[in-house]
Amino acid sequence: MNRNVKLFGIIVIGLTVVIFCLYYFMMTSTKKHSPLEVVELRQNGLEVDVAYCRPYKKDRLIFGSEESGALQPYGQYWRMGANEATVITVNESINFGGEELGPGSYSIYAFPGVGEWQIGINSDTGQWGYSEPDYDDELFRVTVPVEYVDEVTEQFTITFETVGENTNMVLRWDTSVVKIPIR
């Protein structure tokens, strides 16, 4: 009996070590292909940070119908990057796409469409991989138009563009450009 308990303990410890090592390997190796980036907006005391991982196009169809084999089919959840959930952190209340967003950290994700995207803000952060957030924790969704340009953006990119007193969070990948107003 005592021998079986020891053997069981050794197996459990061994499996725990193997699972931890695989998880660590997966976390570190995938970031080589979609590196972590943090973009910052600093304006009149406002601080907005967006942490996301940047996948590459690699000659793939990025946005499109499921039937066409698009990497990100229209109307389906997208974590706006790769690896971990994309996280937006703000130090004070802002107007995000027409909705009030208070200070804190939130996951941000999209439901891309042909003519417009829905952008979701959720208090559920920390997801890894393709795991959708708990939609009960969703604060709101905003709808913004998508533009198409001739120039291809190879690596998914988030930037902030300020024109006068107006600022947009800009998402670019492939030929798609989405601008979310921040006030």
Side-chain angles (χ1 to χ4, degrees), residues 74 112-117 146 148:
Y74 291 135
V114 177
E116 59 189 24
W117 287 21
V146 59
Y148 297 96

Side-chain angles (χ1 to χ4, degrees), residues 115-133:
E116 59 189 24
W117 287 21
Q118 290 184 351
I119 307 295
I121 298 289
N122 196 303
S123 61
D124 186 15
T125 61
Q127 304 90 340
W128 196 91
Y130 188 86
S131 58
E132 295 186 40

Side-chain angles (χ1 to χ4, degrees), residues 108-179:
I108 180 172
Y109 43 87
F111 294 87
V114 177
E116 59 189 24
W117 287 21
Q118 290 184 351
I119 307 295
I121 298 289
N122 196 303
S123 61
D124 186 15
T125 61
Q127 304 90 340
W128 196 91
Y130 188 86
S131 58
E132 295 186 40
D134 182 346
Y135 293 114
D136 289 339
D137 295 328
E138 186 172 272
L139 290 117
F140 58 81
R141 286 189 195 177
V142 298
T143 301
V144 290
V146 59
E147 302 171 38
Y148 297 96
V149 296
D150 292 332
E151 183 180 334
V152 172
T153 300
E154 175 64 25
Q155 189 178 19
F156 175 57
T157 304
I158 299 175
T159 58
F160 291 104
E161 291 180 350
T162 301
V163 179
E165 294 183 23
N166 299 319
T167 300
N168 292 317
M169 187 170 101
V170 182
L171 317 174
R172 287 186 176 85
W173 201 16
D174 196 4
T175 59
S176 299
V177 178
V178 173
K179 297 179 180 181

